[in-house]
Amino acid sequence: MNRRTPWIVFGSSLAAYLAVGLTLSMRFGYLLGDALSRTSAAQAVLLSRDPHVSAIGFIFTPLTALAQLPMVAFASWWPAITRWNISGIAVSAVFMAGAVVMIHGICRDRGLAGRYRLLITVVFAINPMIVFYGANGMSEAGFLFFLCWAVRRLIRWVNTDDVHDLLLAGIALALAFLARYEGVVPITLAAVLVSVVTVLRRGRPHWKSMRRRAILDAVLVAGPGTAVFLVWVTTSWLITGEALAQLSSSYGNAAILTQSGGSSGDLIGTAMFSLGAVVVLGPTLLVTLPLVAVLALRRRDLEFVVAPLLFGGVLGFQAASYITGSTFGFLRFFICTIPLAAVVVVQLFPAAGDQSTRRAGAFRKYRPPLPALRPAAATAVVVLCALALPVTGWAMLQPSLSSQQYALGSLFDDDPPADDAEAMAARRVIDSFSTERRLASYLDSQDLPEGSILVDTVYGFAVVAASEHPKRFVVPSDLDFTKILNDPASAGVQYLLTVPNEGRGVSDAVNRRYPTVYDNGADLYPLVLEVPNDGADQPDWRVYRVPS
């Protein structure tokens, strides 16, 4: 194989995801809230009136926002970087292109012929969900990259017993946690997997002699992730008083779920949605997973276990979280199905050739020569893999399955008929944050000093991210925010940005300090501007003046 091939795969994927992302953002104005909020957090670290690293926040794990800092640093010269989430798009495109390279690497490690390696890689890369989440700045791209990296290295380790593969898998899993909280699950499962495989290499009679090595191998793969987890929760506790703010904070996922009306309590419905999400994202798994399990048993191929255990563990965690009412039913939470389906298809092919390795361990498994798949069978495997694309594309356009993606089908419908409720709802999804951008432009046009606009970032993150003058805003990450909130006038604040004190707005710090401020200015502040919102699930804004 040409050594430049992975770079070609990376470069072409990166260019495609960047093109799609910039088109969605700057041509259609289609931005996702979680992605834009991470960009706003990165902006707060560098460009706020009180810049400091802890402004990154502790609701989300920090990697996606931290990776944006080099680009966000230039936003003071080119505000479009944050206004249109260009920094977030660039980061997700890089990570998802890296995930494509990892899938290509798994194909190469398996010994697939070049044409099949290329076809499986392309089918993964152009999957509609992979394209969308490689192009929108969300954290799924980073999580998939690190998890695919870990899966690849653990598959290699099963074969090579090379400690370098084990260490790299551990580092990848640690970074996966820094991308998303559910990274804790594959860290735990990888430790179990490695322990069991290590013991099985010598068999039950040697259990006592292998126990120490099994523990050591488990520590090597889980140690980095465990250390990162402990550092993160300790830092969060020391700074905010909450170890796991995602669970306990009024800004966290659990609080958002409660503020949004709570879970449905329909165990059967949520279970069926979870199962349906896995099926539409990986329809080929219904055939390939049991087939590969049988083949693995016949071939005595332990490599098969890695991907179903790690990817499947994340899917099981997401399903359990949704069924028990602790998270939302979003199709994106099941995106690990797609690389799982790709790796399972790769493992339909018999392993060919011994892998090159830096330092093979004592239990390296040399691959016995196995008959290759017949060309017709190999072609059928790739075609089966490609069949997932139209199914996933269809699912993404169904509001009942894909509340965050279905509006993609209405991108070119700028003026839907008023009697088409579904088209109007999709248009509002696309127009999310357009109102916040207009509000930011209005405030930018005012000749205001630094620290003159008070806003909570529950909803206000989109306004701050769109502004050319982020230093004009007083936000919760500022160390003096509470003091200024208690007495805005003496701190030089001129405007309060307010949202209704309902739903997620109940966690807004301005509403908590002044419960009637949105309705009547708390009988203290005169109304300057009311801004009805064009976006879905976004609040109408009221701007109040603070008398000097």
Side-chain angles (χ1 to χ4, degrees):
M1 183 196 73
N2 192 319
R3 290 188 176 183
R4 292 181 295 178
T5 301
W7 290 105
I8 294 172
V9 171
F10 177 81
S12 55
S13 301
L14 175 61
Y17 299 147
L18 281 175
V20 173
L22 294 176
T23 300
L24 288 174
S25 174
M26 303 184 76
R27 165 65 177 85
F28 296 104
Y30 193 3
L31 304 174
L32 296 189
D34 282 357
L36 195 58
S37 67
R38 286 173 168 86
T39 299
S40 179
Q43 182 189 49
V45 171
L46 297 176
L47 303 176
S48 65
R49 55 180 289 275
D50 183 18
H52 54 283
V53 176
S54 63
I56 203 77
F58 294 90
I59 303 301
F60 300 122
T61 45
L63 188 141
T64 306
L66 288 173
Q68 295 185 48
L69 293 180
M71 282 194 69
V72 169
F74 294 94
S76 56
W77 291 280
W78 189 31
I81 289 175
T82 56
R83 182 181 181 88
W84 298 109
N85 196 31
I86 293 174
S87 59
I89 291 167
V91 167
S92 66
V94 168
F95 280 139
M96 197 62 88
V100 175
V101 172
M102 288 300 118
I103 295 298
H104 180 269
I106 291 171
C107 294
R108 185 186 66 191
D109 294 343
R110 189 72 176 174
L112 268 63
R115 59 185 180 278
Y116 300 125
R117 187 188 311 160
L118 176 62
L119 287 171
I120 292 173
T121 301
V122 169
V123 168
F124 173 80
I126 66 174
N127 184 289
M129 281 288 284
I130 295 298
V131 173
F132 186 57
Y133 282 93
N136 61 20
M138 297 284 278
S139 60
E140 275 71 17
F143 184 67
L144 280 190
F145 166 63
F146 292 115
L147 196 52
C148 287
W149 185 17
V151 165
R152 182 188 176 193
R153 285 293 168 177
L154 283 175
I155 290 174
R156 286 179 54 87
W157 173 81
V158 169
N159 179 258
T160 66
D161 192 31
D162 187 344
V163 69
H164 298 92
D165 288 325
L166 202 58
L167 287 171
L168 287 173
I171 292 170
L173 289 169
L175 293 171
F177 166 76
L178 289 178
R180 292 188 64 85
Y181 274 109
E182 55 264 38
V184 169
V185 176
I187 291 172
T188 304
L189 293 176
V192 174
L193 169 69
V194 166
S195 299
V196 172
V197 171
T198 299
V199 171
L200 289 177
R201 279 174 168 157
R202 288 292 296 273
R204 189 172 180 178
H206 300 276
W207 156 245
K208 290 185 178 180
S209 62
M210 294 299 292
R211 183 172 55 187
R212 182 176 298 177
R213 174 165 178 159
I215 294 172
L216 178 59
D217 285 348
V219 169
L220 287 175
V221 77
T226 303
V228 165
F229 173 80
L230 292 175
V231 169
W232 175 250
V233 299
T234 302
T235 303
S236 176
W237 177 70
L238 289 172
I239 293 177
T240 69
E242 296 172 310
L244 291 171
Q246 177 68 263
L247 302 177
S248 58
S249 169
S250 60
Y251 297 102
N253 207 45
I256 293 172
L257 188 63
T258 301
Q259 295 155 10
S260 302
S263 64
S264 65
D266 181 4
L267 297 181
I268 295 177
T270 52
M272 291 304 294
F273 175 89
S274 302
L275 178 61
V278 173
V279 169
V280 297
L281 293 179
T284 58
L285 286 171
L286 297 173
V287 176
T288 58
L289 191 58
L291 181 57
V292 169
V294 172
L295 290 174
L297 287 173
R298 292 179 59 184
R299 298 166 179 167
R300 297 185 178 181
D301 185 2
L302 279 176
E303 295 179 18
F304 159 74
V305 179
V306 177
L309 185 65
L310 267 62
F311 289 126
V314 174
L315 294 174
F317 172 80
Q318 294 290 12
S321 298
Y322 182 45
I323 292 169
T324 56
S326 58
T327 191
F328 296 93
F330 292 151
L331 191 63
R332 65 184 174 92
F333 288 164
F334 299 88
I335 197 171
C336 284
T337 306
I338 299 171
L340 171 59
V343 175
V344 168
V345 165
V346 171
Q347 291 177 333
L348 282 172
F349 292 82
D354 292 319
Q355 296 179 19
S356 60
T357 184
R358 182 173 298 181
R359 190 180 67 189
F363 297 97
R364 176 174 184 171
K365 180 182 177 183
Y366 292 94
R367 289 169 168 170
L370 294 172
L373 288 183
R374 295 177 182 272
T379 302
V381 167
V382 176
V383 170
L384 184 64
C385 182
L387 289 177
L389 301 182
V391 176
T392 300
W394 170 84
M396 288 178 66
L397 301 181
Q398 308 306 308
S400 59
L401 284 171
S402 186
S403 60
Q404 295 185 304
Q405 292 85 223
Y406 79 95
L408 288 168
S410 302
L411 281 177
F412 296 98
D413 191 0
D414 293 330
D415 189 20
D419 60 350
D420 189 340
E422 187 172 303
M424 291 292 291
R427 188 68 246 172
R428 285 179 62 84
V429 171
I430 295 169
D431 289 338
S432 294
F433 312 117
S434 60
T435 299
E436 283 72 16
R437 288 192 294 272
R438 292 198 305 273
L439 179 55
S441 296
Y442 167 79
L443 295 170
D444 285 345
S445 68
Q446 311 297 305
D447 186 18
L448 298 173
E450 181 178 313
S452 56
I453 306 167
L454 182 66
V455 62
D456 194 342
T457 50
V458 170
Y459 285 110
F461 66 86
V463 179
V464 181
S467 175
E468 296 181 3
H469 305 286
K471 292 183 183 293
R472 293 180 179 179
F473 294 86
V474 180
V475 295
S477 61
D478 294 341
L479 299 180
D480 56 357
F481 177 78
T482 302
K483 178 181 178 181
I484 294 175
L485 178 65
N486 287 328
D487 190 2
S490 64
V493 172
Q494 298 185 25
Y495 292 107
L496 299 180
L497 302 189
T498 69
V499 298
N501 194 6
E502 58 188 31
R504 289 189 63 191
V506 301
S507 64
D508 184 287
V510 181
N511 282 334
R512 282 185 289 160
R513 177 62 180 84
Y514 307 102
T516 64
V517 66
Y518 181 81
D519 296 325
N520 57 23
D523 294 325
L524 296 171
Y525 310 113
L527 180 66
V528 175
L529 185 67
E530 184 166 8
V531 188
N533 211 303
D534 296 330
D537 301 321
Q538 294 296 112
D540 296 334
W541 291 88
R542 287 180 181 172
V543 182
Y544 288 94
R545 180 178 292 278
V546 179
S548 57

